[in-house]
Amino acid sequence: MRILIRGAGDLATGIASRLYHGGHQIIMTEIAVPLTVRRMVAFSRAVYEGRAEVEDMTGILVHSMEEANAVIQDGDIPIIVDEKAEIVQKYKPDVIVDAILAKKNLGTRMTDAPFVIGVGPGFTAGLDCHCVVETKRGHTLGMVLYAGSAIPNTGVPGNIGGFTTERLIRAGGNGLIEPVASIGDMVEKGQVVAVTGGQKVYAQMSGIVRGMLQPGVQVWKNLKIGDIDARCEKFHCFTISDKARSIGGGVLEAVTGFENIRNKYAIVVLA
């Protein structure tokens, strides 16, 4: 099926991975200046690098539907800067997955495609989408909801290796970011890991830098600009996370269910 994914961050890329390996055709949209912390496992990186390789997949920046079709024919995933997802008019997807993860709906409607999936908080199944996929870590992660909404955003990041808020790296001031530590580097608590707007940013815990914004991007004070992982597995920095795979599995489940229903009714109509 033709699937449009709004957003190309790390979680959206995890969704793309499950759908891509499920044999579906994908186009992903992004904003002009992505602020993806785990950019080494996100197709949003293609916006400023032209292409991005994540595991066994390649995302390529395109500027038109014609270019997107050529990339799809080559077996890759087109990424287009299209904040309002206007490419829907030409692509005419069977499924839209809103994986922007803005914690609110930025304009997706249930009438935008035959089947619309909202990912995370901000969507209500039956109101602005056909189903919602849970994004909060825990026993319901990746669950498909056909009624109601996902668990509201708490503002507290999930527990990884016994740490929550400490693992986040936040901008110390407004201005351009100058990373001091790179993704995959080991750092100690209190070490300078970046400079933002001329202000030094210090690690709040020891571990490995799992994510860091690209150099030279404009940031503002307290914005999340990086992530430290206490598990210290370098492999984790360059592979899709367990959370992203679980959410992607929920989306794939929903898409498969819709596909089966659509095929069933198509057979009945033909009969």
Side-chain angles (χ1 to χ4, degrees), residues 139-151:
H139 283 269
T140 59
L141 177 63
M143 181 178 289
V144 182
L145 309 172
Y146 288 94
S149 305
I151 297 171

Side-chain angles (χ1 to χ4, degrees), residues 201-251:
V201 179
Y202 301 90
Q204 300 301 306
M205 59 174 281
S206 299
I208 195 168
V209 177
R210 194 173 66 145
M212 180 71 73
L213 289 184
Q214 66 269 30
V217 71
Q218 185 76 30
V219 300
W220 52 93
K221 188 174 182 177
N222 291 326
L223 175 71
K224 179 182 174 182
I225 61 168
D227 179 86
I228 297 174
D229 192 337
R231 295 171 296 185
C232 299
E233 293 284 349
K234 195 166 187 176
F235 173 76
H236 293 171
C237 302
F238 304 99
T239 50
I240 295 168
S241 69
D242 53 347
K243 179 178 180 178
R245 291 189 203 278
S246 294
I247 295 169
V251 172

Side-chain angles (χ1 to χ4, degrees), residues 1 3-6 15 19 94-101 105 108-120 123-126 128-135 142-146 247-259:
M1 289 199 296
I3 300 177
L4 178 81
I5 302 177
R6 297 194 66 186
I15 293 169
L19 295 173
D94 301 301
V95 179
I96 290 178
V97 182
D98 191 322
I100 297 174
L101 297 167
N105 187 341
T108 294
R109 299 166 299 178
M110 193 161 60
T111 55
D112 288 344
F115 193 61
V116 177
I117 303 171
V119 180
F123 300 96
T124 302
D128 51 13
C129 60
H130 293 91
C131 66
V132 177
V133 175
E134 181 60 68
T135 58
M143 181 178 289
V144 182
L145 309 172
Y146 288 94
I247 295 169
V251 172
L252 179 58
E253 174 190 322
V255 167
T256 302
F258 167 68
E259 187 176 28

Side-chain angles (χ1 to χ4, degrees), residues 180-181 187-188 190-195 200-203:
V180 174
V187 296
E188 298 295 330
Q191 181 178 331
V192 176
V193 291
V195 177
K200 292 181 179 179
V201 179
Y202 301 90

